[in-house]
Amino acid sequence: MPTCLPTVLRRCHACASGRFRANGKFRVNANHKLLDAWLLVLCTACGDTAKLAVLERMNVRSVRPGLLDRMHDNDPGLAAELLQDPGVRRRNRIALDWDDAWRLDTGGSDHLDREVIDVSVRFAARIPVRPVRLIAEGFGLPRAEVGRLIAEGKLVSAVRLSGRLSGDFTFTLKR
């Protein structure tokens, strides 16, 4: 599950840094019947503000009132939703870095002594993670050990565990 907003990867025009942090603040500007809205992000190196376009030249009547209220309230949940929206990321030419922005909830450690463990992983948000890292962290194992278990066939799944995933999956660990 996410613990904070991800880092936005984009070049800063002031200091050439490549990392911004979103704090959940929006800027909304109306010009007659047209509306523009931006998500504000701050450069991690110099603190300069950049704007990520959310709405551009939209008719005010076509924007849902609830969405507009959330922008005026600087809703961090809305910021998280918009950062995960592929259209917003493509329009603003940004990528996200989820390192240190999520935590693993294992539900306790009473399952570690079983011979066969069936695990179902559910994502609270579409966060791209490496399953090998997730399994290693959840079971308290080194990543090399998890790789060895996969190679020996003691860790099996219907999905490929060596890449990145952002959707739910299951796996079985045989000790």
Side-chain angles (χ1 to χ4, degrees), residues 27-47:
R27 177 165 182 222
V28 180
N29 186 30
N31 184 7
H32 300 288
K33 294 181 183 180
L34 299 177
L35 187 76
D36 292 311
W38 300 276
L39 174 63
L40 302 178
V41 292
L42 300 172
C43 178
T44 57
C46 69

Side-chain angles (χ1 to χ4, degrees), residues 123 126-131 157 159-161 163-169:
F123 287 81
R126 297 193 59 79
I127 302 170
V129 295
R130 295 187 186 282
S157 177
V159 298
R160 196 181 69 153
L161 297 174
R164 284 186 182 259
L165 291 175
S166 58
D168 300 341
F169 67 96

Side-chain angles (χ1 to χ4, degrees), residues 28-93:
V28 180
N29 186 30
N31 184 7
H32 300 288
K33 294 181 183 180
L34 299 177
L35 187 76
D36 292 311
W38 300 276
L39 174 63
L40 302 178
V41 292
L42 300 172
C43 178
T44 57
C46 69
D48 196 45
T49 302
K51 298 183 292 189
L52 304 179
V54 176
L55 300 174
E56 294 178 306
R57 312 304 288 166
M58 295 284 295
N59 191 313
V60 175
R61 292 183 187 265
S62 67
V63 178
R64 295 186 330 264
L67 176 65
L68 200 53
D69 289 340
R70 289 177 74 187
M71 284 187 201
H72 284 300
D73 294 338
N74 291 321
D75 183 7
L78 177 61
E81 291 172 27
L82 291 172
L83 283 174
Q84 293 180 32
D85 181 10
V88 171
R89 289 197 319 255
R90 186 174 39 256
R91 181 173 41 244
N92 291 287
R93 295 184 189 105

